[in-house]
Amino acid sequence: MSKDNTVACLAWGLGLFGCCGMHRCYLNDPVVGCIYFFTGGVCAVGQLLDLCQLENMVDRANGGNWQTVQQQQQQQQQQVVVMSPQAPAQPQYIMMPPAMQPAMMAHPSAPAVAPGFVPMQM
């Protein structure tokens, strides 16, 4: 049976009137619910801490695990792809007439470029 956040909050609110731990019994944790009932929500500290964790407790009672929900959300955020311009992997070449070509000296580390092609400045 699916548990509801509203009902869990109302059961938690019964602790304000002395019936601490009813939310734990509703969320399939009767042992801790009984401990809370007989100890006043372990001096009300446990009852207040449970208020902060109530949504996660409902998720766990419904068969989910809040950590897996967070992991799924992170995976969805990672799947968003942002396109950004990247530098080309290899230099681009343009054709220049021989009269406009700069004087190029042969150097052993210079890349082999076909005659008439000059690396483009970016």
Side-chain angles (χ1 to χ4, degrees):
M1 181 172 149
S2 179
K3 305 297 181 181
D4 185 36
N5 281 334
T6 306
V7 176
C9 285
L10 291 174
W12 180 89
L14 290 175
L16 299 174
F17 300 103
C19 292
C20 298
M22 294 299 116
H23 64 289
R24 288 284 191 159
C25 293
Y26 173 71
L27 297 173
N28 302 329
D29 198 0
V31 174
V32 177
C34 288
I35 292 171
Y36 274 29
F37 182 77
F38 290 113
T39 61
V42 188
C43 297
V45 175
Q47 190 81 5
L48 290 175
L49 290 175
D50 280 355
L51 178 61
C52 299
Q53 300 177 359
L54 199 58
E55 187 176 348
N56 295 334
M57 293 168 61
V58 171
D59 288 341
R60 276 184 273 159
N62 286 331
N65 187 349
W66 64 275
Q67 290 176 341
T68 55
V69 171
Q70 286 180 340
Q71 289 171 356
Q72 289 172 353
Q73 289 173 349
Q74 288 173 355
Q75 288 173 355
Q76 289 173 353
Q77 290 173 354
Q78 290 173 356
Q79 289 175 355
V80 175
V81 177
V82 177
M83 300 299 290
S84 62
Q86 295 180 354
Q90 296 182 357
Q92 306 262 332
Y93 295 96
I94 57 171
M95 180 71 174
M96 292 182 75
M100 293 182 67
Q101 290 180 9
M104 296 178 60
M105 299 178 68
H107 191 273
S109 64
V113 178
F117 287 89
V118 179
M120 187 171 80
Q121 299 295 323
M122 297 186 91

